[in-house]
Amino acid sequence: MPHFADRLNTAIKKKQSVVCVGLDPRLDLIPGFIKKKMLAAHKDVFSAAAEAILEFNKGIIDAVCDLVPIVKPQIAFYEQYGHEGIRAYEETLVYARKKGLLTIADVKRNDIGSTAKAYAKAFLGKVDVFGGRKVFSFDADAVTVNPYLGWDGIKPFVEEARKFGKGIFVLVKTSNPSSGDLQDLQTKDKKTVYEIMAHHLESWGADCLGESGYSFVGAVVGATFPQQAAVLRKLMPRSIFLVPGYGAQGATAKDVRPCFNKDGLGAIVNSSRGIIYAWKNSDTYTEKDYAQAAREAAIKMNKELGNR
């Protein structure tokens, strides 16, 4: 399979969009008519929840698939509904792929040894079923990982990504207000933890470059810290940034500008609530128009970022 960074950059150029839509379905925010229908059709509440999530997600995917290159379902919003929620997660990935979208499994996994290998195979690679037949499980195009355990926890993901043309996004400087509690701490030589992590990531991805000049080892860099993003862009010139914090968390197109290279590439900007729940902040659309409202929000975000 072609290199992940190359596939992503091709999709970005084709759709003229750097928007990543976060598929974070909260049951309390899903339109009531969808929930009512699924509760009437399914006796088991977890089954009804999973089907409501799926119908909602499919509506969003249908609305934005020609406008954006990639989507990012955050697994926490699915696994809280047990095995039915996990089914909805897997089917969401499959449906997005059918609609021509790349996918990021936002799972922030990390461990060492055989456990890390199992995580990597689950989301990026193939698992051996009863010896002899190897098949994809979740089969996302990329996965988010936590680097706290160092290279031991990252290596299995890099290995699986290399085998199957996948990608990883490593947490470096996150968008949440308290990220500085650890990530901004300084060593004796005045290097911050996020700068040290950037140096490690640049090393991890050095031999993972595609034809587009970018590595399949990317970084999560929050839009809410543009000054730090500018520093990190210089430290990791060949890494693609996954940029959370746009819109609902307060970051603007101006804030994300430092995340990009001069070629206009090097980053994808995530929006979850601002797109998938756009109908809630609209005077024009009702809940039955949720997909059209999401489409309009994606078009607006594309325009905003086109002028970054």
Side-chain angles (χ1 to χ4, degrees), residues 86-293:
I86 293 298
R87 176 178 64 82
Y89 190 79
E90 182 179 4
E91 291 188 25
T92 293
L93 291 171
V94 170
Y95 191 78
R97 190 178 307 113
K98 286 181 179 178
K99 289 294 181 174
L101 292 165
L102 295 171
T103 58
I104 302 172
D106 191 0
V107 298
K108 299 180 178 68
R109 291 295 194 260
N110 188 244
D111 216 302
I112 57 173
S114 59
T115 310
K117 289 180 181 179
Y119 278 141
K121 289 181 182 296
F123 291 98
L124 298 177
K126 291 184 176 182
V127 294
D128 190 332
V129 183
F130 299 118
R133 186 182 178 194
K134 294 184 178 180
V135 294
F136 284 112
S137 183
F138 288 102
D139 194 18
D141 291 292
V143 67
T144 56
V145 295
N146 188 322
Y148 194 76
L149 297 175
W151 175 239
D152 288 346
I154 300 298
K155 183 181 178 182
F157 292 94
V158 171
E159 290 175 342
E160 293 301 313
R162 192 188 305 278
K163 285 181 193 176
F164 297 103
K166 305 296 185 72
I168 68 172
F169 289 96
V170 181
L171 302 180
V172 176
K173 177 58 182 171
T174 56
S175 60
N176 56 304
S178 64
S179 66
D181 291 353
L182 289 176
Q183 296 165 16
D184 291 0
L185 293 178
Q186 293 186 339
T187 61
K188 291 180 180 180
D189 60 356
K190 303 300 181 182
K191 294 290 185 182
T192 62
V193 170
Y194 68 79
E195 288 175 301
I196 293 170
M197 183 53 59
H199 284 294
H200 281 296
L201 192 147
E202 182 69 8
S203 173
W204 296 339
D207 64 346
C208 304
L209 302 181
E211 293 181 1
S212 61
Y214 286 90
S215 172
F216 65 69
V217 179
V220 177
V221 177
T224 46
F225 299 103
Q227 292 181 330
Q228 290 91 331
V231 172
L232 291 169
R233 182 75 278 171
K234 292 178 180 178
L235 293 175
M236 299 180 289
R238 298 171 294 183
S239 297
I240 295 175
F241 288 8
L242 170 58
V243 185
Y246 186 90
Q249 292 186 51
T252 66
K254 181 180 178 181
D255 294 323
V256 306
R257 193 177 300 156
C259 296
F260 290 86
N261 281 320
K262 291 181 180 179
D263 61 3
L265 299 173
I268 48 174
V269 183
N270 183 76
S271 176
S272 300
R273 288 169 287 173
I275 291 180
I276 67 174
Y277 304 126
W279 66 275
K280 285 187 168 290
N281 298 315
S282 171
D283 296 326
T284 305
Y285 297 110
T286 68
E287 64 173 20
K288 292 198 173 182
D289 306 312
Y290 78 94
Q292 182 60 33

Side-chain angles (χ1 to χ4, degrees), residues 37-49:
K37 180 172 71 173
M38 297 310 172
L39 280 168
H42 300 274
K43 292 182 179 180
D44 179 71
V45 291
F46 280 175
S47 296

